[in-house]
Amino acid sequence: EPEVTQTPSHQVTQMGQEVILRCVPISNHLYFYWYRQILGQKVEFLVSFYNNEISEKSEIFDDQFSVERPDGSNFTLKIRSTKLEDSAMYFCASTPGTSGGEGETQYFGPGTRLLVL
Amino acid sequence: LAKTTQPISMDSYEGQEVNITCSHNNIATNDYITWYQQFPSQGPRFIIQGYKTKVTNEVASLFIPADRKSSTLSLPRVSLSDTAVYYCLVGDQPSGNTPLVFGKGTRLSVIA
């Protein structure tokens, strides 16, 4: 069964450093998402992406965050200058988008655990 | 999006049927009900989705009464590997190209 993959599985960085989290969505999916989950808390939506542009973003997704689809397969989340509170699991998800969204499942990747020191 | 309420945690023995109920009193006409499962340190995984009555797949059943103000996820004969957090989500096409809004979920612990 096709699946969303994410790299790295773990990332440790110093505060103020830039990090790039990578995702390979399921082939032929059209909608892509990033979510995060701070330890012990809810899964929170960050951003959705369709047709090479951001569709929707949450309040969390401020100027420090950016997303990109640099080629036909990768989907990246960049945090420009990390803060301690950015420590979390970051999940990528995708949906086919072929039926206009109705009843479609979002497929999540295994996540990247980011630790900012 | 309709607010959902579900138990914080549940315990069950292996082999038992587990029913997790979610209340969503303000559900709108266009809203679907979707359940996701999350194992520790993994991403959420879609389990089942319904609009009304009963839906069944190879993993679970979803019971939705006529007024749709609640729903019950039923897991038949759970095993230790069903230990996870289960989320009830309600919204207009919530599993489509719409961002998912997760609550705190129900933490199910299956005991041998």
Side-chain angles (χ1 to χ4, degrees):
Chain A
E1 183 180 326
E3 56 185 24
V4 176
T5 59
Q6 291 185 240
T7 54
S9 58
H10 294 78
Q11 174 96 46
V12 180
T13 190
Q14 295 290 326
M15 189 171 55
Q17 294 295 305
E18 174 185 285
V19 294
I20 298 176
L21 309 183
R22 292 184 167 79
C23 167
V24 179
I26 294 173
S27 174
N28 77 7
H29 278 195
L30 302 178
Y31 290 86
F32 315 113
Y33 314 81
W34 283 101
Y35 293 82
R36 79 171 186 191
Q37 186 175 32
I38 295 171
L39 186 63
Q41 298 188 25
K42 299 184 289 187
V43 177
E44 301 173 292
F45 166 73
L46 292 178
V47 65
S48 60
F49 192 86
Y50 171 71
N51 201 25
N52 284 319
E53 60 183 27
I54 291 174
S55 305
E56 196 168 338
K57 60 183 180 179
S58 70
E59 292 179 353
I60 303 170
F61 194 87
D62 61 22
D63 293 343
Q64 292 299 315
F65 292 88
S66 63
V67 289
E68 193 177 38
R69 189 155 162 83
D71 53 44
S73 59
N74 289 288
F75 179 50
T76 62
L77 174 69
K78 181 193 290 187
I79 308 176
R80 218 176 318 277
S81 176
T82 50
K83 304 187 284 283
L84 295 177
E85 53 265 38
D86 293 327
S87 295
M89 279 286 279
Y90 288 81
F91 297 108
C92 173
S94 68
T95 57
T98 52
S99 61
E102 183 170 346
E104 290 186 344
T105 301
Q106 288 192 20
Y107 295 84
F108 283 76
T112 293
R113 184 175 296 282
L114 175 65
L115 179 60
V116 182
L117 301 176
Chain B
L1 293 170
K3 178 178 166 56
T4 60
T5 303
Q6 48 183 128
I8 295 174
S9 64
M10 294 180 70
D11 294 332
S12 176
Y13 288 102
E14 271 191 300
Q16 288 188 328
E17 177 184 80
V18 170
N19 295 308
I20 306 174
T21 297
C22 177
S23 297
H24 27 82
N25 290 318
N26 297 322
I27 190 167
T29 304
N30 294 332
D31 287 344
Y32 286 77
I33 301 158
T34 310
W35 286 80
Y36 274 77
Q37 172 192 56
Q38 186 180 26
F39 297 115
S41 299
Q42 293 189 30
R45 184 175 77 102
F46 171 87
I47 302 176
I48 197 165
Q49 183 182 74
Y51 183 80
K52 61 181 179 180
T53 63
K54 176 184 174 182
V55 181
T56 297
N57 61 22
E58 64 276 7
V59 176
S61 294
L62 178 60
F63 298 92
I64 306 169
D67 65 6
R68 304 202 323 124
K69 293 183 183 299
S70 67
S71 59
T72 299
L73 174 73
S74 181
L75 305 173
R77 300 176 58 182
V78 295
S79 63
L80 295 176
S81 62
D82 292 316
T83 293
V85 178
Y86 293 82
Y87 300 97
C88 166
L89 286 75
V90 173
D92 184 10
Q93 301 179 356
S95 294
N97 52 15
T98 305
L100 298 178
V101 178
F102 289 86
K104 294 184 178 179
T106 297
R107 185 174 299 277
L108 173 66
S109 297
V110 180
I111 308 162

